[in-house]
């Protein structure tokens, strides 16, 4: 009797698994697309702006933008299944940029993790300690910063240091210029720019920037 019960449980499991796999092929008609944005600590991220565009080969003029609520959720209503381009950003968080996004299951909750500026800057420092400057710079590029903010100046400082350590004087100099042009009173430009300039002066002949 126990063996028979176990047999039916297995059959039910296989049937459910098959149905789930089958549903990934898409659906007919339109449905609501729900997206959840969380940070590195699984906390909801509000006011994260997400842009959804359908594959331009199909409908070039379709585009919709929404922002997440306090629970990190946003909904695109009455969306047809298919291929889309998904992008998202919020100042102080890593950006989302997918070349292709497949909306193929009307019942799924699509969850994406982004990283806060504190986390990215902490990781950058860890990478710098290991001498992995290129990886750190690539990580910094993913961070969304608004012009004129303290965060933008801070990121420019980190980039200037990374480029200087890679002996890319021109790029380091451009980041220093960005800092001085912002003139943010909360950022001590003289102190930090002076430190980077000393590093650049001690560098050997510069390698070509790439």
């Amino acid at each position: 009797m126990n063996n028979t019960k176990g047999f039916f449980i297995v059959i039910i499991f296989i049937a459910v698994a098959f149905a789930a796999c089958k549903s990934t092929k898409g659906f007919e008609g339109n449905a609501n697309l729900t997206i959840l944005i969380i940070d590195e600590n699984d906390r909801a991220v509000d006011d994260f702006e997400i842009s959804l565009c359908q594959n331009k080969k199909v409908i070039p003029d379709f585009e919709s933008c929404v922002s997440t609520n306090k629970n990190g959720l946003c909904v695109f209503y009455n969306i047809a299944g298919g291929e889309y381009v998904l992008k998202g950003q919020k100042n102080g968080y890593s950006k989302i940029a997918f070349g292709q996004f497949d909306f193929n299951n009307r019942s799924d909750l699509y969850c994406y993790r982004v990283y806060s500026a504190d986390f990215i800057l902490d990781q950058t420092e860890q990478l710098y300690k290991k001498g992995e400057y290129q990886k750190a710079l690539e990580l910094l590029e993913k961070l969304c910063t608004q012009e004129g903010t303290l965060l933008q100046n801070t990121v420019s400082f980190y980039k200037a240091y990374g480029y200087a350590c890679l002996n890319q004087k021109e790029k380091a100099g451009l980041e220093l210029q960005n800092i001085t042009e912002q003139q943010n009173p909360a950022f001590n430009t003289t102190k930090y720019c002076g430190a980077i300039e000393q590093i650049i002066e001690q560098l050997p002949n510069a390698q070509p920037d790439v």
Side-chain angles (χ1 to χ4, degrees):
M1 182 68 179
N2 290 337
N3 290 338
T4 302
K5 183 178 180 181
F7 173 79
F8 280 113
I9 291 175
V10 171
I11 291 298
I12 292 172
F13 175 80
I14 293 174
V16 171
F18 177 79
C21 292
K22 187 176 181 180
S23 68
T24 60
K25 295 181 180 179
F27 57 86
E28 295 182 359
N30 293 3
N32 296 337
L33 167 59
T34 304
I35 295 176
L36 172 66
I37 304 297
I38 57 175
D39 67 7
E40 66 275 3
N41 296 310
D42 294 333
R43 294 177 300 196
V45 179
D46 64 350
D47 294 325
F48 195 94
E49 185 178 280
I50 299 177
S51 173
L52 184 71
C53 305
Q54 194 159 15
N55 191 318
K56 293 184 178 181
K57 295 179 180 178
V58 182
I59 306 177
D61 296 329
F62 173 82
E63 181 173 0
S64 181
C65 297
V66 296
S67 296
T68 56
N69 60 20
K70 64 179 181 179
N71 297 314
L73 292 166
C74 68
V75 181
F76 291 91
Y77 294 97
N78 199 32
I79 303 297
E83 296 180 0
Y84 292 85
V85 175
L86 181 69
K87 297 179 181 180
Q89 65 178 22
K90 177 182 179 179
N91 182 52
Y93 288 88
S94 58
K95 293 172 281 190
I96 295 176
F98 291 123
Q100 178 178 314
F101 164 75
D102 294 322
F103 181 34
N104 50 34
N105 194 326
R106 67 173 73 230
S107 62
D108 278 356
L109 170 65
Y110 293 81
C111 181
Y112 297 97
R113 186 183 303 278
V114 296
Y115 298 97
S116 67
D118 287 341
F119 178 84
I120 289 178
L121 294 179
D122 179 70
Q123 292 299 304
T124 297
E125 291 183 0
Q126 297 302 318
L127 288 169
Y128 279 170
K129 289 178 181 179
K130 299 176 183 178
E132 299 180 14
Y133 303 110
Q134 190 60 48
K135 285 185 178 180
L137 289 167
E138 291 172 0
L139 183 61
L140 290 170
E141 284 295 331
K142 298 178 181 179
L143 183 58
C144 177
T145 61
Q146 290 182 348
E147 186 174 351
T149 61
L150 175 60
L151 177 60
Q152 186 185 47
N153 276 346
T154 303
V155 170
S156 289
F157 166 72
Y158 275 97
K159 286 183 177 180
Y161 178 78
Y163 285 130
C165 291
L166 288 173
N167 200 11
Q168 296 182 7
K169 294 183 178 181
E170 182 177 349
K171 288 185 177 181
L174 288 174
E175 294 299 337
L176 290 180
Q177 183 178 344
N178 289 338
I179 294 173
T180 55
E181 288 178 351
Q182 293 299 325
Q183 296 182 347
N184 192 311
F187 194 90
N188 189 335
T189 57
T190 303
K191 175 182 177 181
Y192 290 106
C193 289
I196 299 297
E197 288 169 352
Q198 287 182 5
I199 295 175
I200 294 176
E201 290 173 359
Q202 296 172 4
L203 291 175
N205 292 330
Q207 299 175 357
D209 290 353
V210 292

